[in-house]
Amino acid sequence: MEALGLTTGMLAVVKRRCGIWAFSGFMLLTSLFAAPALGAVSAGGLYVTGAGYGHGVGMSQYGAAGYALHGVGYEQILQDYYAQTTIGRVSPGLLVSVLLRARGAAVFSGATTVHGVRQRLSPQTTYRVLAAGAELRIVNGGKTIGTFKPPLRVSGAGPVRLLGLGRYRGSLIFRPSPTGGGVMTTNLVPLDDYVRGVVAAEMPASWPQQALEAQAVVTRTYVIASHPIGPNFDVYDNSQSQIYQGVSGETPATDAAVAATSGQVVEYQGKPVVTYFFASSGGETESVQNVFTMAPEAWLVGRLDPYDGVLRNPYHRWKLSFSLSAAARRLGGLVRGTLRGIRVLERGLSPRIVRARVVGTRGSVVVSGVQLREDLGTPSTWMGFTTVTAEGVLSSKSPAVPPGSNTGSPAPPPAPAGSTTPTTTTSGTGGGGLTGQLERAALAVGHIAKALSASPMRFAVSGDVFPVRAGLGVTVQTQLAGRWRTIASGSVSHSGHYRVPVTDPGTYRVLYGGVIGPHLTVSP
């Protein structure tokens, strides 16, 4: 009906004109019918499929839980994840220095002793430590309790509280911040007390006991084998080292795991070694040299991890998607021109990316898998990339005008004034002159309208994919009765272009290589 309405209006325009101008209007009308506007929104994105969470080197925590659920003890769990290692022992009382604050305020309570002097403190009183040049002052309200040379160490009969962070076993040590701006605070704590504050922060306390015991040994070994990070502390209290929460991180289950493994560490050739660990492997771990800038290590080699999918692990398999513009913003200077996609160049022993190429319309840049993960914010470097774009296009014009409409040859212009115009008859329509021309134009318009109402326009879903996979085509689906149903498929050219005819306007989506691509609406 919309086509008929448009015809009526345009015919009125034709009737208001004369001679050659009447047929110019008529030809404009036929061109409008032959190329209708297409209402379609182009869409596209970078689709990422992946597995695992974390760097992938050493022990998978979900995998360790899976082993425990299958009846495997913590010693065997550790031997499987850290090849050619044995269990050794160190003193559980070894002291570990943990950086709690690099600068800022230092307010504490619960302390009774200032080490090295006879100064006594009240455990019920809250004190502030202030930097005073190269020295430190302890103040209570407006009163100075004492001035001390750093390091200033305080402890109590029980845990000491640091305002804003929590309670800590062992001692608090204060120094003027080397970067200025207040006081640096560290916690000097016995090894097994440190481990008590880490295990529950790194692994859920509700997990199987053998997994918690494996985590306790790994935590203890990591801090013993790591080189001190700074001149005044060994490790950070966050994920740069291990998450350490002090007393607030202790639970009965994890305390039991620490006690059951007291002093135990992972050793290779009789020495404690760095025991990397992470959340989820996706089913395979990775060799250390393919992730970190370091030489291969015999105990840090990639291997199959059969039980990583336990406990409804949300990271075992995952999917992400970005619009191409959003992905380009995240990748920043790696994109040359407009982002086309990412091609993987090298994978490690597992499917984790070692090197990849970011491809743009004006060139490409080779990047490490680690940098890709950082830039895109993905859970791991075990990734696959697919770019799919789609748009609705007009695949065929309106049908030819039926015979007898006489649209192929314009009528001659009106005869000069005073001349005689012969009268002719065409297909039963009125004679020559302006009246005959108008009648023939009206008849042609009627034929066009009838043809358009009987034969709908044809459309296609068209776009590009990257990278191209040999022998793989695209599938187009539409939504029918609330479900997605396949209606067509098509091949992909060597350049990545595809074009799939669709009969009717509607909502469509494109699938390629197991990736569900963009949705788009096609309407006339």
Side-chain angles (χ1 to χ4, degrees):
M1 295 300 294
E2 291 180 353
L4 291 175
L6 180 60
T7 300
T8 303
M10 292 302 296
L11 182 58
V13 173
V14 173
K15 286 184 176 180
R16 284 196 297 267
R17 303 201 181 270
C18 62
I20 189 68
W21 299 109
F23 281 91
S24 296
F26 171 68
M27 295 305 293
L28 173 61
L29 172 63
T30 58
S31 67
L32 288 171
F33 279 128
L38 177 64
V41 178
S42 61
L46 178 68
Y47 299 88
V48 189
T49 56
Y53 189 103
H55 49 66
V57 178
M59 185 183 79
S60 157
Q61 292 169 306
Y62 270 100
Y67 270 109
L69 289 171
H70 284 78
V72 180
Y74 76 91
E75 299 98 331
Q76 187 61 52
I77 293 174
L78 295 173
Q79 288 173 8
D80 279 6
Y81 283 113
Y82 305 104
Q84 307 178 52
T85 60
T86 57
I87 301 295
R89 292 184 177 273
V90 297
S91 170
L94 287 174
L95 294 177
V96 177
S97 180
V98 187
L99 179 65
L100 302 180
R101 278 196 183 130
R103 56 187 299 172
V107 180
F108 69 91
S109 62
T112 58
T113 302
V114 178
H115 289 252
V117 298
R118 295 182 177 181
Q119 180 73 51
R120 301 296 297 174
L121 301 174
S122 169
Q124 288 79 34
T125 301
T126 298
Y127 300 95
R128 179 181 294 271
V129 180
L130 301 175
E135 297 183 318
L136 295 166
R137 289 190 296 131
I138 297 179
V139 300
N140 175 22
K143 181 180 178 181
T144 297
I145 304 302
T147 300
F148 309 92
K149 292 182 178 180
L152 170 61
R153 178 180 174 188
V154 302
S155 60
V160 182
R161 180 182 298 277
L162 182 65
L163 185 67
L165 286 184
R167 297 164 61 228
Y168 299 91
R169 301 187 186 279
S171 306
L172 296 180
I173 298 180
F174 306 101
R175 294 178 175 86
S177 174
T179 60
V183 176
M184 181 176 75
T185 305
T186 58
N187 177 206
L188 190 65
V189 58
L191 175 60
D192 271 17
D193 284 340
Y194 166 78
V195 177
R196 291 171 68 187
V198 171
V199 176
E202 291 285 4
M203 179 178 283
S206 61
W207 280 16
Q209 195 66 21
Q210 292 299 308
L212 295 176
E213 291 177 13
Q215 182 67 57
V217 177
V218 166
T219 296
R220 187 181 296 112
T221 310
Y222 184 88
V223 70
I224 286 295
S226 299
H227 295 294
I229 293 174
N232 298 315
F233 64 96
D234 300 316
V235 290
Y236 295 106
D237 67 345
N238 55 38
S239 59
Q240 294 180 85
S241 298
Q242 302 180 106
I243 299 175
Y244 171 61
Q245 297 178 332
V247 174
S248 66
E250 299 172 6
T251 73
T254 54
D255 280 356
V258 175
T261 63
S262 181
Q264 295 183 23
V265 293
V266 175
E267 291 184 344
Y268 175 73
Q269 296 183 346
K271 295 182 180 179
V273 291
V274 176
T275 46
Y276 292 114
F277 63 91
F278 60 100
S280 169
S281 71
E284 298 181 47
T285 67
E286 186 53 73
S287 298
V288 66
Q289 71 274 12
N290 292 329
V291 177
F292 301 121
T293 307
M294 58 186 294
E297 299 288 4
W299 69 93
L300 294 174
V301 294
R303 59 180 298 277
L304 294 177
D305 189 17
Y307 304 124
D308 181 72
V310 301
L311 299 173
R312 298 182 179 180
N313 178 359
Y315 307 113
H316 187 67
R317 293 289 183 272
W318 48 263
K319 295 181 180 181
L320 294 173
S321 63
F322 305 90
S323 69
L324 290 178
S325 59
R329 286 194 297 271
R330 287 173 179 255
L331 295 169
L334 298 175
V335 179
R336 300 288 187 262
T338 300
L339 177 64
R340 291 188 62 206
I342 300 172
R343 187 190 304 277
V344 177
L345 302 177
E346 179 186 356
R347 295 189 184 272
L349 192 65
S350 73
R352 289 171 177 80
I353 295 174
V354 177
R355 293 184 308 121
R357 186 183 300 277
V358 178
V359 180
T361 55
R362 296 182 180 177
S364 62
V365 176
V366 176
V367 62
S368 70
V370 172
Q371 186 175 348
L372 269 183
R373 180 193 175 200
E374 291 176 353
D375 289 350
L376 292 174
T378 59
S380 78
T381 57
W382 181 333
M383 295 180 283
F385 301 98
T386 304
T387 299
V388 184
T389 66
E391 64 176 338
V393 297
L394 183 65
S395 65
S396 64
K397 297 182 179 180
S398 61
V401 178
S405 58
N406 286 338
T407 59
S409 315
S419 66
T420 302
T421 303
T423 300
T424 61
T425 302
T426 305
S427 301
T429 308
L434 179 58
T435 301
Q437 295 173 25
L438 292 176
E439 288 176 349
R440 287 192 293 274
L443 179 62
V445 169
H447 283 310
I448 293 171
K450 182 178 180 180
L452 288 175
S453 64
S455 303
M457 296 296 171
R458 300 283 179 173
F459 304 96
V461 175
S462 177
D464 296 277
V465 299
F466 185 92
V468 177
R469 297 175 175 87
L472 189 62
V474 297
T475 298
V476 175
Q477 295 182 330
T478 191
Q479 234 174 358
L480 297 172
R483 297 178 60 186
W484 288 99
R485 300 179 186 275
T486 297
I487 61 164
S489 60
S491 60
V492 175
S493 71
H494 292 300
S495 66
H497 189 71
Y498 69 89
R499 183 184 181 95
V500 180
V502 294
T503 303
D504 302 311
T507 299
Y508 296 91
R509 71 179 185 182
V510 179
L511 282 64
Y512 181 68
V515 171
I516 299 176
H519 298 191
L520 73 159
T521 299
V522 177
S523 61

